[in-house]
Amino acid sequence: MTYDPTGHLLLTPVDQEAPARVRRLRQLGLGERPEPAFDEFAHRLAEVTGAPYSMVNFIDEHRQFFAGLHTPAGTHAGGGDLDTAGGGDVGRFMARDHGYCPHVVVRRKALVLEDVCDYPRFAGNPVVDEIGIRSYLGAPLIDRTGTALGTICVVDTEPRPWGRAGLETIKSLAAELVEQIHRRENGML
């Protein structure tokens, strides 16, 4: 567990690699605008897993940016924050201390939460009460330089038995997206 200097438990892990990640994302031209290819990937991720929400998420020091986003309605806002009132469109930005992707990036390992309420460390996250998230499945996007650029993830408002199959699926799809990013980078050179 990580504590701040005053002795309070930090629910979001300290991210020492954030400055290097931001430099790498800028080098790749990622994390600052929505991209149709990432929206398509998020849609495919939702189809494969049967999840209502899926994201391609790049994380900087202060926020998360959903460069790829799929929602149940198939729509999303172009720029605002993730809706925390429960009734509007899902946007492209979310605070870094919301959700579980920052944990995946810092741990550099996939995370399966079949019911977030079963884990005291994760049950207190703002996305549980504000948005209604009950289950999460995510994997890091680690590129050829060893940088954890962000994540791909799926979430649901109901508990989900992701199991070993879900874990293997999300890890395989993360590797596939990293290969797409590498091909894109090679095209830029």
Side-chain angles (χ1 to χ4, degrees), residues 2-189:
T2 306
Y3 296 87
D4 72 12
T6 64
H8 293 96
L9 176 66
L10 294 174
L11 295 178
T12 303
V14 174
D15 186 357
Q16 304 277 342
E17 296 180 7
R21 176 180 317 105
V22 169
R23 283 190 301 276
R24 181 69 176 137
L25 288 169
R26 285 190 183 129
Q27 181 183 29
L28 293 168
L30 299 174
E32 296 187 7
R33 65 187 173 284
E35 299 203 20
F38 292 147
D39 282 340
E40 290 171 23
F41 191 90
H43 178 74
R44 186 167 146 248
L45 181 58
E47 283 184 334
V48 168
T49 62
Y53 299 92
S54 61
M55 297 88 152
V56 174
N57 186 7
F58 298 115
I59 303 171
D60 67 21
E61 296 102 326
H62 308 290
R63 68 180 186 181
Q64 302 175 67
F65 176 69
F66 305 131
L69 179 62
H70 173 83
T71 66
T75 62
H76 39 75
D81 290 337
L82 190 65
D83 176 37
T84 55
D89 286 338
V90 173
R92 296 280 181 169
F93 298 99
M94 189 163 66
R96 191 181 167 281
D97 64 348
H98 282 54
Y100 309 106
C101 290
H103 295 271
V104 171
V105 166
V106 170
R107 292 170 25 137
R108 303 172 66 84
K109 290 174 34 179
L111 179 63
V112 179
L113 300 171
E114 294 183 342
D115 186 342
V116 298
C117 294
D118 289 344
Y119 304 89
R121 178 177 189 179
F122 298 117
N125 193 286
V127 298
V128 176
D129 291 333
E130 294 175 10
I131 303 171
I133 301 301
R134 285 294 301 272
S135 98
Y136 173 91
L137 177 64
L141 299 169
I142 300 175
D143 81 344
R144 64 176 178 77
T145 69
T147 304
L149 302 172
T151 67
I152 60 168
C153 69
V154 293
V155 297
D156 201 337
T157 56
E158 302 292 329
R160 294 281 300 261
W162 303 112
R164 170 73 56 196
L167 177 63
E168 294 307 318
T169 297
I170 200 82
K171 288 166 57 177
S172 173
L173 288 167
E176 182 182 315
L177 185 57
V178 168
E179 284 304 313
Q180 287 181 24
I181 291 169
H182 289 160
R183 285 193 301 275
R184 169 191 169 132
E185 179 183 25
N186 289 336
M188 291 170 50
L189 299 176

